[in-house]
Amino acid sequence: YWTRPGGEKEIIPTQYLWPGRASAQASPPPTAPPPAAELPPMALVWQATWGGPGDAEGQFREPRDVAVVGEAVFVADTGNRRVQAFDRDGTFRAAWSGGQEPFEEPLALGVDSQGRLLVLDSLPGWIYRFDVAGESLDRSPEGIYRFAGPASQTFHPRGMTVLPDDTVVVADTGGARLVFFGPAGNMAGRLGVLGSAPGQLNEPTDVAVDAADVYYVAEAPNQRVQRLDRWGNSLGEWPIPPSVAYDGPHLAWAPDGSLLVTAPTEGAILRYAPDGRLLNRWTQAGAAPLRQPVGIYVDATTDTLYVTDTATHQVHVFRIE
């Protein structure tokens, strides 16, 4: 038996055993995609653009992700090896460059149920926890300030999402898999093997999870978003524009349940229905064209969309209508 990140105990599916043998309780067959329900129209109204190239306060070098905690907006300023914090109007608050050790490639951000900021440092694979003031939580009651790291054997992971139960799902880009960590930071499972067939993964750059525990995985070399159930069965896929993993596509749920996907090489934000129908395509941030949008984050409390552009070293802010 094993226990999935959600806590359900089950017989280990035969595809994860070696040598293979018959099982009286194999994983269930794949289910059909969700019905193609009509979604209401949606518009993105540009509000502001933050930053520009540089290392001064409020400037960025290849920013790659955004997260919001309360009234604070955090940006993974990857090229400057730091995280910056802002007010919602873009006023600079603070910046920090590491936890116990300096950041090497702070790349993906997440927020847990306790309002703590999680920072994925891609090169060493560490996931750090910080409070909203940027203080490392190495003195927290749990005694946990970072987890994963070299022992997790991830290779340049480029995406991360935090589930409602505080399970952390990492898109292990170089490892061609998803890696799960429990709320205490323990490794809780892996999903995926290298390939381009259904159920296989090739350089996943991000992952989003819906309310039915279906994993939507963006794969740069396979040029697709693939839907996987919790056993790793493919539930379908749809094509997305080509890209490279270094500046690969990222995902965010819109408030209406559609999926927003960045298309870096096309300078576009794409909106899909959960069954893969393309609904919208946006290429502008006000009067300026999007150059290389990578990171994307939806603040559902204010219907605000944040998009990082690694080519212009900026963060664009949109209102979702």
Side-chain angles (χ1 to χ4, degrees):
Y1 291 83
W2 65 12
T3 301
R4 285 279 174 173
E8 180 181 352
K9 185 178 180 181
E10 61 187 20
I11 293 176
I12 300 174
T14 54
Q15 64 263 36
Y16 298 106
L17 299 175
W18 187 90
R21 60 181 177 85
S23 171
Q25 185 178 332
S27 60
T31 59
E38 291 301 322
L39 291 169
M42 194 179 89
L44 296 184
V45 180
W46 174 79
Q47 300 291 290
T49 294
W50 300 351
D55 56 11
E57 294 178 353
Q59 295 180 324
F60 307 112
R61 292 200 185 278
E62 297 190 2
R64 294 186 179 276
D65 205 3
V66 176
V68 177
V69 183
E71 296 300 312
V73 180
F74 299 92
V75 179
D77 185 9
T78 307
N80 284 323
R81 299 184 180 184
R82 65 186 178 184
V83 172
Q84 295 197 66
F86 301 85
D87 291 331
R88 288 183 179 273
D89 63 1
T91 301
F92 174 81
R93 282 191 176 191
W96 68 95
S97 300
Q100 185 188 39
E101 300 173 358
F103 291 138
E104 296 184 48
E105 193 184 20
L107 194 147
L109 305 179
V111 181
D112 68 13
S113 65
Q114 301 179 51
R116 299 179 295 192
L117 181 73
L118 276 63
V119 180
L120 170 62
D121 194 0
S122 180
L123 282 177
W126 287 115
I127 300 174
Y128 289 87
R129 303 182 203 259
F130 296 93
D131 64 19
V132 293
E135 293 295 325
S136 177
L137 296 172
D138 53 331
R139 297 180 182 177
S140 64
E142 302 96 326
I144 300 168
Y145 63 98
R146 68 179 185 179
F147 56 94
S152 65
Q153 298 183 334
T154 57
F155 187 70
H156 292 281
R158 309 200 75 78
M160 174 177 67
T161 190
V162 184
L163 304 186
D165 67 353
D166 287 341
T167 294
V168 178
V169 188
V170 172
D172 181 12
T173 308
R177 60 186 180 171
L178 304 180
V179 182
F180 300 82
F181 297 92
N186 56 299
M187 184 177 287
R190 304 178 181 91
L191 200 66
V193 294
L194 176 62
S196 57
Q200 298 177 336
L201 301 174
N202 193 353
E203 296 193 353
T205 55
D206 204 9
V207 55
V209 185
D210 68 14
D213 291 332
V214 173
Y215 302 96
Y216 291 71
V217 186
E219 302 173 67
N222 286 336
Q223 299 177 25
R224 67 184 179 186
V225 169
Q226 185 175 190
R227 301 172 61 248
L228 300 175
D229 68 15
R230 56 182 177 166
W231 292 276
N233 296 312
S234 179
L235 304 178
E237 62 183 67
W238 67 81
I240 57 175
S243 63
V244 295
Y246 182 74
D247 284 308
H250 281 69
L251 314 173
W253 292 111
D256 66 355
S258 58
L259 188 65
L260 302 176
V261 182
T262 53
T265 57
E266 292 196 352
I269 303 167
L270 308 177
R271 176 185 176 229
Y272 293 94
D275 60 6
R277 287 175 298 129
L278 180 62
L279 302 175
N280 294 95
R281 185 176 187 271
W282 296 280
T283 60
Q284 294 286 127
L290 295 169
R291 290 277 305 281
Q292 196 162 267
V294 173
I296 188 166
Y297 181 88
V298 172
D299 179 10
T301 62
T302 59
D303 288 339
T304 303
L305 174 70
Y306 299 87
V307 177
T308 68
D309 193 317
T310 60
T312 62
H313 314 282
Q314 295 174 319
V315 174
H316 301 296
V317 185
F318 300 87
R319 185 175 70 252
I320 300 173
E321 295 184 345

